[in-house]
Amino acid sequence: MISLHPSLQPVYAEVLHRNPGEMEFHQAVHEVLESLTPVVRRRPEYVEASIIERICEPERQIIFRVPWVDDQGVVRINRGFRVEFNSALGPYKGGLRFHPSVYLGIVKFLGFEQIFKNALTGMPIGGGKGGSDFDPKGRSDREIMRFCQSFMTELYRHLGEYTDVPAGDTGVGGREIGYLFGQYKRITNRYESGVLTGKGVTWGGSLARTEATGYGTVFFVDQMLRARGSAFDGKRVVVSGSGNVAIYAVQKAYQLGGTVVAVSDSGGYVVEESGIDFELLREVKEVRRGRIKEYAEERGSTARYIEDGSIWDVPCDIALPCATQNELDVDGARALVGNGVQVVGEGANMPTTPGAVDLLRSAGVLFAPGKAANAGGVATSALEMQQNASRDRWSFEYTEERLADIMAGIHERCLTTAEEYGVPGDYVAGANISGFCQVADAMLAMGVI
Ligand code: NDP
Ligand code: 2IT
């Protein structure tokens, strides 16, 4: 771990003190503060105005009860969250996560990262995140609907196209956004398309939003390779997870000439030397909502399913962690380096532990932080908001082109900022500094609020 600049140490101590037990939030804050030493030296006005302290404290945190009735008639209680972190650049924007591991520390880490990610996209969106400890696994469609309706019955009063605009994240996809939007519309009596993104493409959703995060991650990694005279073409790729981000990272990796040899879920991973079959993967995971084990069973002898073990043991040139936070640890990083990995691109949020990031970077592996590499999803959400505001609808090709341009722009911005602040080639510092300064300048301009 890099030690913090003396003026940042009390800021971090205060974050620890005020947010006890929220380890993921501490980790996310520390990672950004580590990058800010050259900023503190060059921009003392940020310190004088306590910008960093203010950025670490959410503007608003909402916690609420979500009661619902399961298919057996049993009343269930979950906890709902929305952390409205920062609105200096636009309405709060960020996904909703439904997963049993969700608690305030997870929502805050995600909301905090979202501030800088959203700034990096260059779109007018602030940072927020929400979700619930509700576990959608094994729940019927009707249970999911009743849960979403109850969740929105409280959340709606905090939302609005100019206030707070949620979207999907782990456990929240098109189906859930549909139920959430329906309940919002019913309660408010407003067809306010721009209040949620990730909507169905026949009722206000943007084409290419479903694909955007995975595609964007691959576009970003391709940019990194191209900047070094290489390309995605011909590379062996390992993608962890098999949800929304992973599935479309797999598809775009193929389209750019790579071969994806392994994917996973929380039960295990599958290795297939001849290449994972994208269509079957999408069918099993997205359409049937099945397990990766079923994919392996259907593929027969070409695929191996491994229940206990680490996907990072599979040799590859490019590793794309697309499942969850802290899934790639020091042991995983060591295995990747031992097998000659060239690039690690974070499709998930904070999937690489700080120790693993250090190990990868000191071994000369190109490392793309999630804030930059997975920003394609939220950027395309902003494109959806743009289409909703103008009551327009763009083609898939046009939207994907915009996404590719945005990812190229973020890549350029990371490199230029890293160079400017004396840390050339450091994508982590480039992303953190660039996103931070944009938010900080807006906050300075708006006074102490
Ligand atoms: P999904 O719910 O669609 O898929 C999540 C995938 O990750 C599943 O394969 C799941 O396996 C696996 N997974 C989740 N939690 C764990 C865990 N604790 N251990 C092992 N595997 C796990 O989510 P998304 O694809 O949307 O999101 C994946 C990541 O990408 C998250 O970090 C999210 O925050 C981030 N992200 C998502 C964006 C989006 O637009 N959706 C945008 C930017 C980032 P299983 O089914 O077994 O649980
Ligand atoms: O982590 C993320 O950037 C997302 N889950 C997408 C958020 C969004 O508003 O599209």
Side-chain angles (χ1 to χ4, degrees), residues 116 152-153 184 202 211 245 271 276 278 280 289 311 328 335-336 356 363 401 421-422 432 441:
F116 310 106
M152 187 53 92
T153 300
Y184 182 86
T202 53
E211 294 82 358
V245 179
V271 189
I276 297 289
F278 165 72
L280 183 63
R289 302 180 185 278
I311 192 172
L328 170 49
L336 285 170
E401 237 170 73
Y421 279 85
N432 285 339
D441 287 339

Side-chain angles (χ1 to χ4, degrees), residues 97 99 110 117 129 137 168-171 209 213 241-246 264-267 285 291 322-325 347-349 374 377:
R97 176 177 292 194
H99 194 272
L110 291 164
K117 182 197 304 191
K129 202 84 185 190
K137 275 207 191 77
D169 193 79
T170 303
R209 173 62 188 91
T213 310
S242 50
N244 173 262
V245 179
S264 65
D265 62 19
S266 60
K285 297 300 300 190
R291 309 298 302 155
C322 295
T324 193
Q325 63 278 350
N349 286 309
N374 73 36

Side-chain angles (χ1 to χ4, degrees), residues 1-2 4 8 11-12 15-16 19 21-36 52 55-57 85 97 103-117 129 325-326 346 348-355 357 369-371 428-429 431-433 436:
M1 248 189 204
I2 305 166
L4 300 178
L8 297 173
V11 178
Y12 186 61
V15 167
L16 295 181
N19 306 279
E22 298 178 2
M23 275 144 44
E24 296 82 1
F25 179 48
H26 303 164
Q27 183 182 332
V29 170
H30 197 275
E31 194 251 11
V32 169
L33 297 187
E34 277 179 347
S35 298
L36 295 185
I52 305 170
I55 279 190
C56 291
E57 182 66 19
F85 226 118
R97 176 177 292 194
Y103 76 108
L104 190 57
I106 293 275
V107 182
K108 269 198 221 163
F109 116 66
L110 291 164
F112 184 73
E113 297 228 312
Q114 200 83 46
I115 304 169
F116 310 106
K117 182 197 304 191
K129 202 84 185 190
Q325 63 278 350
N326 293 327
E346 294 189 324
N349 286 309
M350 207 168 76
T352 319
T353 65
V357 177
K371 277 186 207 83
V428 173
N432 285 339
I433 295 173
F436 173 82

